[in-house]
Amino acid sequence: MPEKVNADQGLDKKMNKSLSSNSKVKHFNKKESLFHNYEDFEETPTSAAVITVLGYAILTALGWLRDFLRNIGFEEKKTANDPNPKDFVPLYQSYECFYTRNLYTRIRDVFNQPIASVAGAKVEVMERLSDDFNWTFKFSGKKLPSINLGSYNYLGFAENQGPCSEQAIKSIEKYGVTTSSTRHELGNQQYMKELECLMAEYLSMEDCIAFGMGFATNALNIPILVGKGDLILSDRLNHTSLILGARLSGAAVHTFDHNDIQDLESKLRDAIIHGQPRTCRPWKKILIIVEGVYSMEGSLCKLSEIIELKKKYKAYLYVDEAHSIGAIGPRGRGVVDYWKVNANDIDIHMGTFTKSFGSAGGYLAGKKTLIDHIRVYSHSACYSSSMSAPIVQQIISALNIIMGRDGTNDGQKRIQQLACNVRYFRRQLVDMGFIVYGNDNSPVVPVMIFMPAKIAAVNREMLKRGCAVVTVGFPATALTESRVRFCISAGHTKEMLDHALKSMDEVGQLVSLRYSKQNRHRRWHELNHADYDKEYLS
Amino acid sequence: MTRGDIESLATDFYDLLESFKHAPVYHLSFEIFLVLAVSWLVFFRKPRPIEKKLTEKEKQELIDEWQPEPLVPSVDPNHPALNVRVLDGIVGKTVEIDGRTSLNFATFNFLNFVGKQRIADKAIQAVQKYGVGSCGPRGFYGTIDIHLELEERLARFFNCEEGIIYSYGFSTIASIIPAYSKRNDILFVDEGVHYAIQKGVEASRSHVKWFRHNDIADLERLLAEQEILDKKNPKKARSIRRFLIIEGLYVNYGDICPLQRMVELKYKYKYRIFLDESVSFGTIGQTGRGVTEYYNIDRQKIDLISSTLEYAVGSIGGFAVGSSFVVDHQRLSAQGYCFSASLPPLLAAAAIEALNIMEEDNTTLFETIMDKSKRLHKKILSIKGYIVNGDEISPLKHLRLTNALNTIGRLEEIVQFAQTRDITITVARYLSDEHRLPEPSIRLILNVEMNDEELEFLCTVLQEALVKVTT
């Protein structure tokens, strides 16, 4: 049964929990036996943490040594030079670029890897070679066909053939590529209205407004919803766009521990009881900002409990469903669908079209009064060019497919395929002994690798075996929590997933990635494949 | 005082000292303790704040009583932003509104690339190769070879070392400024810059010194004041970066910045110049390379040139060009670049084709647009009753009525009347929290493919509209 929130407990508990020491949370909803919601963040093994910190310490010490050698002229300075005279104030402080010069450049080849094809289930990565340890790159001309486990292509709409791209091409012929005008002037095209109506229907909301960039949707619209005298309670692991929007709004921002309902409640109570700092005036309004699926952790927000809190304390709720819309829930309607809550309990729905719809842009949905306010005051609507026709058409086509309006059940098949793929992939990784963070149902699968050198090793070895993966370290994650983050797609076939798992098994053996203390360490051939296959095909 | 008094004082003092010597130790120590205690009480004790400890019941009452404001205030349903005309077709040189075709002087379609077949063909080819979206940020397999090609082409066009592209015009300059300028730095910003720059400046949290629009004397005054402060504290001055943020051609005013003088001052006062050429790219200069070409200034002296792909180029997105030293930093520090999905490949392909057209050997686009802008400027000046703001070679002009007549209501009437005569123009729209809200105006934008007759017709309609509105 889900934990009941106790108000007094919330007041007394002031534990500062880090993510990795968070204990296991098991929710088995007895109402639906098919609905399995399990989230786990296994603790970092002490030995791994110690060696990771030691690793960074050695790299830092080496970095100081190399900087010293560069300063005395013993070693060549490979960074570009300021074309301005020497008496200008330096553009970058030396310590700001320390990380870039000495840590990032060593493994620069695993980031920003260019591709030369559609970012679908399979992708062609352009091979880059470097003679001088990643300071400069040359393209060899070779294209490496790889399984794409890095792009956000949850429902597999990143295709260059099929009904979506055909309709996008027709829209280019009808409307051109842009309008060169804003929504307030001559950029208000019929296709924008069509998209907004369709999206509002999809989310079961009164109205919706769409923008050309997901990042800008957060950063430029949060300032018009809250301002000075308001309070924002933001999850500690929220995306940069939400943090920027909160900062630009001028409202006070307090963070609560990731997915920690008790911490959120205690902060809500404190805010209402004590009011604004120094003046003690009551807050004008309180906005809680959370994400549907957190892209670095793979965790889902505890939506039902947050809604309970929000109603109890009369706060407003903003949910950023960038990664969850289309990818989570039995009908692909996001976390609202997953937790079976009333969509109207969330005041502002936000999401992006980049991930599950294979397009670009973002949206905000809610009551008509809210959306009217945004239409009038949004920075994007007043100053940015309106969305491009083929981009909008791709979203409309994808939505029609997902909602089954095209006459096929392709949409529902994609959603089920994704759910199948996710379960299949995760189960086997966990059973092999890797530490996998996050919710069992999230299409984002982070596998912990901890040490800085392994970030590069895993990426390079997986690419050699034909799998393009994304590895992230500091500063995108905490210092000791580097990970390889798989993004599963409905476009992945069972063979592709098997190949990826086999590669991960080999790389895991080569680089020693099996850290789990809860599960046995097993090689891929030791797993009972018949079980997984049976579940996959059901 | 007499000698006797002094003698008696001295005797008293001597007696006092003697009594100290003879007093018991406990007495003396007690006296000293009292003196110390009193002096501590008077001078050093801080008054302890009275702690407000609320009971549970009081806390619950506070929680129950608290009423938040509504999430958003109600909006007037007649607000123009809620009643924008809905279009359904190409918004090119002409636009179809309510079944009638009208000439379009309202969109930023300077070179008439919107709806051009060549560009549409290339965009279609890109969809057939790459699909529509790029499905990821630049760091995670969102970098497609077509992005690298576009960056290289833009850098080559401007003869700079490196280029970087963004997926949204507004976010370009709004992400660039905070990537370089931090809390302790100083930004000298022209008051007339457009909203995206104002947001970038706000996001940087730097000290901002606004100078009057295009007023070099005012800028020099601010620089001189800063120099005096620097001399007082040279150590601190060595760690404060300074930037000048200006536009090549101002969207809100239509006039060109006095760039030569600003470059001279750069070497005198040691600041870096960030030049936003959103409007001047593709419209000013012999080959469309902006104000640096127009004034014949070496582009290496400008630290960073940023612009948009949404105006002259006829695509979506933005870019920045400059030396590798400056541009490369954005790849890790600009939020709009690192944390956002990359530009859809079809839009990058459209931009590359637009650049191809602009770089053609026998192109007369730029000569033509500057020439036509001059002619339009003269024609409108000849209509008494309008004030035209903007340089004569600027393809973007702001039209105002004289003095007290200049209200949004009257300008909207002019726009509506023009629409009935099949001329589409627009009142420039701003949000109320602009740093310096410009006066209401009609923003006229010249399309390079407008011929003389059409320009004449525009002026005729404007004249008639003026008569209608002022009688």
Side-chain angles (χ1 to χ4, degrees), chain B residues 310-325:
Chain B
E310 294 174 7
Y311 295 169
V313 172
S315 182
I316 304 254
F319 68 91
V321 290
S323 60
S324 288
F325 175 75

Side-chain angles (χ1 to χ4, degrees), chain A residues 8 11 80-85 87-93 96 100 104 111-119 125-126 139 150-152 158-160 165 168-169 172-181 183-186 188-190 193 212-213 215-216 220 225 239-240 244 247-248 269 272-273 282-286 313-314 316 347-348 354 358-360 369-370 372-373 375-380 382-386 388 390-391 394 459 468-470 472 485, chain B residues 54 56 59-60 62-73 75 79 81-82 84-91 97 104 106-109 114-115 120 123-124 127-141 143-145 148 167-168 170-171 180 195 199 202-203 205 237-243 266-267 270-272 303 310-311 314-316 323-326 329 332 335-336 339-341 344 346-347 350 424 426-431 434 443:
Chain A
D8 289 321
L11 273 175
N81 285 320
D82 189 349
N84 284 316
D87 51 356
F88 273 61
V89 176
L91 188 55
Y92 316 116
Q93 299 296 350
E96 277 172 6
T100 316
Y104 177 73
F111 304 114
N112 296 301
Q113 296 188 61
I115 63 176
S117 69
V118 62
V125 179
M126 293 167 74
F139 288 108
S151 292
Y152 304 134
E159 298 163 330
N160 54 5
S165 44
I169 290 173
I172 297 177
E173 283 159 4
K174 183 173 178 198
Y175 296 103
V177 158
T178 181
T179 57
S180 285
S181 184
R183 281 302 285 280
H184 282 194
E185 292 170 11
L186 282 180
N188 195 24
Q189 294 267 23
Q190 182 60 32
K193 288 188 84 75
M213 186 197 196
F215 185 97
L220 303 179
L225 298 171
H239 190 256
T240 311
L244 182 64
R247 195 156 62 79
L248 285 176
R269 288 182 73 86
I272 300 177
I273 291 167
W283 294 105
K284 289 201 278 190
K285 48 184 184 274
I286 299 181
Y313 293 101
K314 295 176 252 172
Y316 297 110
D347 300 284
I348 308 150
T354 324
S359 187
T369 45
L370 168 73
D372 279 347
H373 174 86
R375 275 190 214 285
V376 172
Y377 294 106
S378 169
H379 309 324
S380 278
C382 190
Y383 294 106
S384 298
S385 282
S386 61
S388 169
I391 307 287
Q394 164 78 17
N459 200 302
V469 300
V470 161
V472 271
R485 190 190 66 174
Chain B
L54 299 168
E56 284 308 313
K59 286 181 182 169
Q60 196 53 47
L62 280 168
I63 292 176
D64 292 334
E65 280 169 13
W66 182 70
Q67 271 304 122
E69 279 182 6
L71 182 56
V72 287
V75 160
H79 195 286
L82 293 176
V84 190
R85 39 196 166 191
V86 179
L87 308 173
D88 193 24
I90 295 187
V91 185
I97 297 181
N104 178 7
T107 62
F108 293 91
N109 186 17
V114 174
I124 290 173
V127 173
Q128 287 164 339
K129 184 174 180 196
Y130 300 108
V132 176
S134 60
C135 297
R138 289 292 291 257
F140 305 151
Y141 303 104
T143 306
I144 305 180
D145 51 2
L148 301 174
S167 53
Y168 204 51
F170 192 102
S171 293
Y180 297 99
Y195 198 74
K199 286 294 135 187
E202 212 182 294
R205 293 193 272 207
R238 270 200 296 274
S239 65
I240 300 176
R241 293 172 283 228
R242 301 120 211 280
F243 300 94
K266 167 185 171 173
Y267 292 101
K270 320 262 178 271
Y271 55 74
R272 293 168 202 271
D303 294 89
E310 294 174 7
Y311 295 169
S315 182
I316 304 254
S323 60
S324 288
F325 175 75
V326 178
H329 179 74
L332 282 180
Q335 292 190 338
F339 296 106
S340 168
L346 71 101
L347 297 169
T424 302
T426 182
V427 172
R429 301 238 180 263
Y430 306 105
L431 288 177
E434 287 249 1
R443 193 198 301 124

Side-chain angles (χ1 to χ4, degrees), chain A residues 56 67 94-107 111 455 472-476 479, chain B residues 332:
Chain A
Y56 277 111
D67 272 349
S94 186
Y95 64 83
E96 277 172 6
C97 294
F98 180 85
Y99 171 78
T100 316
R101 269 198 311 275
N102 298 306
L103 276 77
Y104 177 73
T105 309
R106 284 171 184 274
I107 56 172
F111 304 114
I455 299 173
V472 271
F474 184 76
L479 191 71
Chain B
L332 282 180

